[in-house]
């Protein structure tokens, strides 16, 4: 094993040559370049990330703040997952134009659909600013002074990084503040929907297959970035023109073979590899069981309602997906953490850490882990209250958060008027009222209220329930049914016309009256309860935990210098690399690393509604009309797995081969990997990608939108690295 060393702030990080665990900071790739080359990388670290010339990073955009996307043509064509574009596809859908069911394809640019609010953000540069952030910080400073000084330093860094540009910037802590990076971004705001396959392709397998291998989902959708006449970000305008990127990904027509190098470049959201035993115990034994129970309860209601009507199916599709995605993941995560004995492993690590730290006289390291234990005991109820609040308020009955979206007008009408912001607030609410009711089915919401309010009272630590909620329940003879009736029968927030009337002829008095609205009162009570009883304690303790985690992580790195270290994902751009490979996580069986179109037909034949497909798709697959998109063995490959370490946020990330060419689109992990945010196991953790040739087949052969494929640069054969453009060979797809 070769040990490479790189400086990450004040830390030494070592890497073994079997580098499948870890999400690496692209600005620091040089130190792992040799390792990647040994695994099959042909281009250089500078080709992947450069601030001086165009590089792969210029083709990668954070999509809508949560997912990843990549540019695949010189005209700003953007590829991401179907599940990442799901909300946009859903919002454009109606009974007349059901794009969720039938798919959508813009046959010319004029047919592309606008998506107000949707953004694509590129990274201009990332720089280690640890020293600058710590300037003027001394050991004897109070926490408050320290925070104030850091804020001042951050503002100066941002100012310097963005002066005279249309860029934005922010500073993020890495490894709990052992180092800091400034990240400069450029955000495009006119992103239009170009194409989406029917859900029978994009969401094939539904909840049955989500987080599961073998997989046959064509989880992709296409958008296009538009820019102003100067190619710079601009608000939506008909005058805007397709964005011309500094780099776009060429598409490999060769696919991957087992053992081939792959890398995934994107914006992983959050990992928590350093959680201590008590924190993991909280996840396994408290948070996950509560969340799973609450979500299972609402999913039972939503699923049944969706089955009852096509309209409700459209209305609740996106909501159902976001609830069920995490629900299923938490079940898998608990299974994996228990099976891998995460608690035992964490405990043993902490025991040796403590022993070693004592032996070396590192008192602050021992104190940190001891104090963390105490704090995890103290924070438990506050954390649970926060988690229950989030589940109930943001994923429970919609009437509450909807009512609360009026709080500005209800509480501060005159203030808005004085500041001249009233009109904007009223207009904003009018459009949100429309979109809320478009996707609202009151009986379903009532059923969710009934079931989840019960669970809310059961799970919330008693003394942290907001007083007003307790009183409201008592006033209703402790009957949730009565609470529900009172809420839905008397609230204006179930009545679109009445709300629109109010917004059309507004008055301070009329809005002030809503303070007595039962839905608004509950929403306000939950909010106030959280901010008064939970947040202050939770925040203070959590801040102390974070500060101690900084010491603990620094201690781990110092005491065990030969282990592999990488900074937890924090929604910043990262590169992860591995190989196309299968796995054998279950005794007596092994997973192949790819699936083919034959498996789609096999699953369809089971009769499970999650595998239903339109007749024309079945016909086209049965005809085996794969065109130039077949693998060299004649099969159409659908998905493949790799040992690239990914997490949520990596959805939509490109899977890139050693030449810098697009081979797949990341969209999921296998069931046996769902615990990898907390505990990564290189033997079993696999990410799941759609084979890019299946994407092309769907666009071209299935949907007849070959003009989109014509925009791309397809590469086949033994060309050299993509960064030498003269070696590229254009192919004209011929599928007739
Ligand atoms: N399918 C996942 C998600 O939606 C992506 C992942 O976590 O690997 O979050």
């Amino acid at each position: 094993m070769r040990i490479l060393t790189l400086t990450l702030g004040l830390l030494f990080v070592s890497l073994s040559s079997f580098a499948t665990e870890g999400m690496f900071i692209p600005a620091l790739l040089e130190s792992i370049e040799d390792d990647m080359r040994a695994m099959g990388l042909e281009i250089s670290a500078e080709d992947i990330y450069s601030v001086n010339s165009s590089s792969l990073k210029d083709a990668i955009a954070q999509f809508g703040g949560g997912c990843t996307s990549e540019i695949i043509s010189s005209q700003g064509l953007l590829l991401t997952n179907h599940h990442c574009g799901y909300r946009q596809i859903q919002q454009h859908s109606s009974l007349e134009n059901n794009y969720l069911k039938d798919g959508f394809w813009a046959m010319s640019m004029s047919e592309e659909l606008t998506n107000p609010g949707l953004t694509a953000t590129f990274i201009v540069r990332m720089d280690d600013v640890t020293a600058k952030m710590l300037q003027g910080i001394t050991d004897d400073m109070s926490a408050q002074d320290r925070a104030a000084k850091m804020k001042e330093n951050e503002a100066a860094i941002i100012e310097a990084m963005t002066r005279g540009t249309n860029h934005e910037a922010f500073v993020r802590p890495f490894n709990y503040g052992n180092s800091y990076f400034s990240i400069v971004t450029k955000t495009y705001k006119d992103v239009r929907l170009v194409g989406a396959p029917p859900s029978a392709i994009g969401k094939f397998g539904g909840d049955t297959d989500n987080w599961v291998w073998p997989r046959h989902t064509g989880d992709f959708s296409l958008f296009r970035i538009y820019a102003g006449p100067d190619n710079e970000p601009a608000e939506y305008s008909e005058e805007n023109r397709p964005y011309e990127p500094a780099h776009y990904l060429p598409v490999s027509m060769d696919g991957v073979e087992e053992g081939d190098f792959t890398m995934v470049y994107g914006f992983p959201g959050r990992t928590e590899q350093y959680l201590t035993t008590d924190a993991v115990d909280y996840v396994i034994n408290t948070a996950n069981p509560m969340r799973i129970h609450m979500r299972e309860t609402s999913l039972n209601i939503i699923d049944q309602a969706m089955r009852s009507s096509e309209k409700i199916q459209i209305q609740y599709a996106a909501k159902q997906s976001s609830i069920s995605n995490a629900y299923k993941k938490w079940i898998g995560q608990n299974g994996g953490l228990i099976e891998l004995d995460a608690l035992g492993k964490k405990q043993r690590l902490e025991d040796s850490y403590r022993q070693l730290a004592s032996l070396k006289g590192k008192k602050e390291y021992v104190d940190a882990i001891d104090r963390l234990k105490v704090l995890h005991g103290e924070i438990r109820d506050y954390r649970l209250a926060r988690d229950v609040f989030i589940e109930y308020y943001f994923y429970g009955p919609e009437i509450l958060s909807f009512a609360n979206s009026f709080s500005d007008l209800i509480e501060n009408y005159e203030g808005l008027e004085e500041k001249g912001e009233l009109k904007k607030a009223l207009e904003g609410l009018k459009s949100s009222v429309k979109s809320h009711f478009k996707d609202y089915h009151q009986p379903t919401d009532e059923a969710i209220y009934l079931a989840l309010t019960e669970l809310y009272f059961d799970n919330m630590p008693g003394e942290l329930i907001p007083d007003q909620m307790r009183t409201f329940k008592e006033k209703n003879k402790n009957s949730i049914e009565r609470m529900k009736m009172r809420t839905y029968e008397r609230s204006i927030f179930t009545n679109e016309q009445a709300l629109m009337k109010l917004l059309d002829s507004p008055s301070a008095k009329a809005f002030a009256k809503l303070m007595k609205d039962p839905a608004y009162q509950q929403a306000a009570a939950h909010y106030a309860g959280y901010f008064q009883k939970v947040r202050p304690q939770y925040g203070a303790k959590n801040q102390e935990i974070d500060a101690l985690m900084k010491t603990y992580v620094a201690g781990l790195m110092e005491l065990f210098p030969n282990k592999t270290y990488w900074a937890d994902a924090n929604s910043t751009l990262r590169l992860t690399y591995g190989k196309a490979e299968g796995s054998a996580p279950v005794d007596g069986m092994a997973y192949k690393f790819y699936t083919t179109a034959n498996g789609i037909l096999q699953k369809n034949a089971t009769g499970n509604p999650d595998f239903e497909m339109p007749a024309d798709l079945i016909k086209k697959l049965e005809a085996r009309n794969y065109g130039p998109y077949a693998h060299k063995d004649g099969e159409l490959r659908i998905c493949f797995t790799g040992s690239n370490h990914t997490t949520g946020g990596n959805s939509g990330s490109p899977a890139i081969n050693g030449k810098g060419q697009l081979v797949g689109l990341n969209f999921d992990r296998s069931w046996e990997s769902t615990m990898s945010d907390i505990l990564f196991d290189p033997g079993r953790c696999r990410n799941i990608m759609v084979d890019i040739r299946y994407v092309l087949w769907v666009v071209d052969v299935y949907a007849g939108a070959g003009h989109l494929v014509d925009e791309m640069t397809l590469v086949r054969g033994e060309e050299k690295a993509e960064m030498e453009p003269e070696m590229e060979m254009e192919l004209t797809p011929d599928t007739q």
Side-chain angles (χ1 to χ4, degrees):
M1 193 171 77
R2 197 153 43 86
I3 308 292
L4 300 163
T5 321
L6 81 153
T7 317
L8 178 63
L10 27 137
L11 303 166
F12 288 109
V13 178
S14 63
L15 298 157
S16 72
S17 60
F18 186 65
T20 52
E21 173 171 355
M23 302 174 179
F24 299 96
I25 300 169
L28 300 178
L29 288 186
E30 260 127 51
S31 20
I32 52 170
E33 194 175 352
D34 287 350
D35 213 46
M36 291 198 285
R37 277 190 183 280
M39 282 176 73
L41 178 72
E42 294 177 35
I43 57 175
S44 68
E46 182 79 5
D47 290 332
I48 297 173
Y49 173 92
S50 170
V51 288
N52 302 317
S53 52
S54 71
S55 60
L56 292 189
K57 97 168 161 36
D58 301 317
I60 317 294
Q62 193 166 33
F63 182 84
C67 282
T68 304
S69 56
E70 50 279 352
I71 304 214
I72 53 171
S73 90
S74 61
Q75 298 173 71
L77 193 60
L78 198 63
L79 177 67
T80 189
N81 287 148
H82 186 259
H83 81 265
C84 294
Y86 203 59
R87 192 161 286 281
Q88 283 74 33
I89 305 165
Q90 186 260 337
Q91 278 167 353
H92 288 295
S93 292
S94 59
L95 281 174
E96 300 73 48
N97 290 311
N98 192 343
Y99 301 141
L100 285 172
K101 185 160 162 263
D102 305 323
F104 166 78
W105 304 98
M107 287 302 166
S108 68
M109 285 187 188
S110 62
E111 287 176 15
E112 296 172 358
L113 299 174
T114 59
N115 302 289
L118 181 62
T119 54
T121 299
F122 294 92
I123 301 303
V124 178
R125 60 183 301 149
M126 308 175 68
D127 296 274
D128 187 338
V129 291
T130 313
K132 284 185 190 146
M133 279 297 281
L134 298 179
Q135 232 161 50
I137 302 284
T138 56
D139 286 346
D140 54 0
M141 267 179 158
S142 72
Q144 235 173 1
D145 290 348
R146 189 186 159 87
K149 181 72 190 152
M150 302 262 295
K151 224 173 158 175
E152 188 189 312
N153 291 347
E154 182 179 353
I157 295 168
I158 292 175
E159 217 296 295
M161 288 286 182
T162 54
R163 193 180 308 134
T165 69
N166 60 355
H167 301 158
E168 274 128 29
F170 55 90
V171 175
R172 275 279 147 85
F174 286 65
N175 281 324
Y176 297 90
N178 278 303
S179 62
Y180 291 87
F181 274 76
S182 66
I183 293 151
V184 180
T185 60
K186 191 183 211 185
T187 296
Y188 284 82
K189 297 174 191 132
D190 184 355
V191 182
R192 303 184 194 169
L193 179 62
V194 173
S199 294
I201 291 175
K203 210 175 183 304
F204 182 72
D207 287 340
T208 306
D209 267 11
N210 196 15
W211 302 105
V212 168
W213 184 258
R215 194 63 163 276
H216 299 83
T217 314
D219 193 347
F220 79 94
S221 57
L222 289 164
F223 288 77
R224 191 186 304 282
I225 301 179
Y226 281 78
D230 52 359
N231 205 33
E232 293 297 319
E235 294 297 335
Y236 168 81
S237 154
E238 274 187 34
E239 312 300 305
N240 286 351
R241 57 179 180 73
Y243 169 61
E244 284 172 26
H247 183 70
Y248 65 91
L249 299 179
V251 178
S252 166
M253 294 292 280
D254 293 333
V256 286
E257 300 300 342
E258 187 147 33
D260 278 358
F261 174 85
T262 54
M263 53 190 173
V264 172
Y265 208 0
F267 294 86
R270 187 168 187 215
T271 56
E272 299 178 301
Q273 58 178 317
Y274 296 115
L275 289 187
T276 55
T277 316
D278 301 290
V280 179
D281 181 71
Y282 173 79
V283 172
I284 298 177
N285 294 312
T286 304
N288 279 355
M290 176 276 291
R291 294 156 163 168
I292 291 167
H293 189 188
M294 284 182 90
R295 291 205 176 197
E296 192 162 82
T297 306
S298 57
L299 283 170
N300 282 338
I301 297 164
I302 294 173
D303 287 347
Q304 197 186 356
M306 284 174 76
R307 277 195 295 272
S308 74
S309 109
E310 190 178 342
K311 183 163 175 219
I312 301 177
Q313 197 160 14
I314 297 172
Q315 289 178 317
Y316 279 74
K319 293 181 250 195
Q320 195 276 355
S321 280
S322 84
I323 296 172
S324 72
N325 191 42
Y327 157 75
K328 198 169 172 192
K329 175 178 138 173
W330 289 325
I331 297 176
Q333 186 181 57
N334 258 19
L337 289 173
I338 291 165
E339 199 184 320
L340 289 181
D341 187 25
L343 290 176
K345 285 198 172 90
K346 291 276 175 188
Q347 192 59 61
R348 286 191 288 282
L349 173 68
E350 281 156 39
D351 290 346
S352 5
Y353 166 96
R354 194 179 268 106
Q355 267 174 11
L356 213 57
S358 307
L359 213 67
K360 295 194 167 184
K362 298 278 182 181
K363 188 167 173 314
E364 77 271 26
Y365 292 158
V366 180
D367 289 351
I369 194 81
D370 287 347
R371 177 80 187 128
L372 275 169
K373 189 159 193 61
V374 175
L375 278 168
H376 278 298
E378 289 176 3
I379 203 174
R380 184 194 172 276
D381 278 5
Y382 299 105
R383 180 169 277 157
L384 178 59
R386 180 176 182 268
D387 289 341
V388 174
F389 168 69
I390 292 173
E391 280 307 304
Y392 179 71
Y393 187 81
F394 293 103
Y395 296 93
E398 284 180 82
I399 192 169
L400 302 183
S401 49
F402 178 57
N404 203 50
S405 65
F406 282 69
S407 68
D408 254 8
L409 279 169
I410 297 174
E411 311 276 346
N412 186 28
Y413 189 96
E414 270 132 14
L416 288 173
E417 209 167 20
E418 262 165 41
K419 281 195 271 170
E421 289 169 7
L422 186 61
K423 197 161 166 250
K424 196 167 161 223
L426 290 166
E427 288 311 313
L429 275 177
K430 273 188 214 166
S431 81
S432 77
V433 166
K434 270 203 207 103
S435 58
H436 171 79
F437 283 102
K438 171 184 177 288
D439 293 335
Y440 187 67
H441 181 242
Q442 190 177 325
T444 301
D445 205 45
E446 286 189 27
I448 294 174
Y449 179 96
L450 197 61
L452 286 204
T453 307
E454 184 93 49
L455 292 181
Y456 169 84
F457 282 105
D458 286 352
N459 282 288
M460 197 74 175
E463 72 288 1
L464 298 179
I465 294 173
D467 299 334
Q468 302 92 319
M469 286 312 299
R470 207 191 293 281
T471 323
F472 186 60
K473 193 176 172 206
E474 280 161 11
K475 272 198 190 145
N476 284 288
K477 302 202 167 115
N478 284 319
S479 154
I480 310 272
E481 176 68 42
R482 285 177 76 115
M483 285 171 71
K484 184 205 86 178
M485 270 162 50
R486 204 184 160 92
T487 306
Y488 287 81
E489 277 170 19
R490 300 207 187 156
S491 173
I492 190 174
F493 293 102
T494 55
N495 188 335
E496 182 174 3
Q497 283 78 26
L499 282 172
M500 282 313 245
K501 212 166 127 198
L502 198 65
L503 291 166
D504 279 332
S505 40
S507 77
K509 212 167 130 208
F511 277 104
K513 262 199 190 155
L514 297 189
M515 265 187 221
K516 296 220 169 67
D517 183 281
Y520 182 71
Q521 276 187 331
Q522 287 170 71
H526 284 295
Y527 239 72
Y530 173 70
F531 280 99
Q532 285 157 16
K533 287 191 174 185
V534 180
R535 220 337 253 268
Q537 292 283 358
Y538 173 80
K541 291 189 194 304
N542 205 36
Q543 210 175 11
E544 204 187 331
I545 288 178
D546 273 356
L548 291 164
M549 285 301 286
K550 177 182 174 194
T551 310
Y552 173 57
V553 172
L556 281 175
M557 292 174 170
E558 186 184 319
L559 298 170
F560 305 103
N562 292 336
K563 280 180 81 169
T564 299
Y565 294 102
W566 50 279
D568 267 323
N570 56 1
S571 292
T572 58
L573 185 63
R574 302 292 181 97
L575 186 86
T576 159
Y577 62 106
K579 291 177 176 170
E581 57 179 316
S583 58
V586 181
D587 185 44
M589 63 180 269
Y591 292 138
K592 249 161 90 166
F593 83 101
Y594 68 91
T595 56
T596 69
N598 306 321
I600 299 183
L601 295 169
Q602 282 165 6
K603 283 181 174 173
N604 174 253
T606 62
N608 178 338
D610 280 340
F611 302 124
E612 265 169 24
M613 282 161 30
D616 60 339
L617 178 59
I618 300 180
K619 229 168 101 190
K620 284 195 168 138
L621 286 174
E622 278 175 350
R624 296 179 63 87
N625 174 13
Y626 302 151
Y629 308 114
H631 193 68
K632 60 177 185 246
D633 59 7
E635 296 296 336
L636 180 63
R637 290 198 174 177
I638 307 299
C639 292
F640 64 101
T641 58
S643 49
N644 305 286
H645 189 180
T646 55
T647 185
N650 271 126
S651 288
S653 298
I656 302 171
N657 66 14
K659 296 179 162 85
Q661 302 157 349
L662 186 66
V663 287
L665 176 63
N666 182 73
F667 70 101
D668 209 2
R669 281 169 281 166
S670 66
W671 185 243
E672 296 81 6
S673 317
T674 41
M675 75 299 163
S676 68
D677 296 348
I678 294 175
L679 190 66
F680 184 85
D681 176 359
R684 61 160 66 193
C685 287
R686 296 292 176 265
N687 67 312
I688 304 179
M689 298 153 277
V690 200
D691 192 306
I692 197 64
R693 296 164 302 173
Y694 179 48
V695 171
L696 300 183
W697 182 85
V698 171
V699 173
D700 185 5
V701 182
Y702 175 70
H707 62 286
L708 297 172
V709 179
D710 293 341
E711 267 187 48
M712 306 173 199
T713 300
L714 308 183
V715 189
R716 194 195 288 277
E718 284 302 305
E719 289 104 303
K720 281 229 200 87
E722 155 280 329
M723 288 297 167
E724 296 160 55
E726 67 279 6
M727 304 306 285
E728 280 170 14
M729 181 183 82
E730 294 254 3
L731 286 185
T732 315
D734 174 11
T735 56
Q736 299 318 303

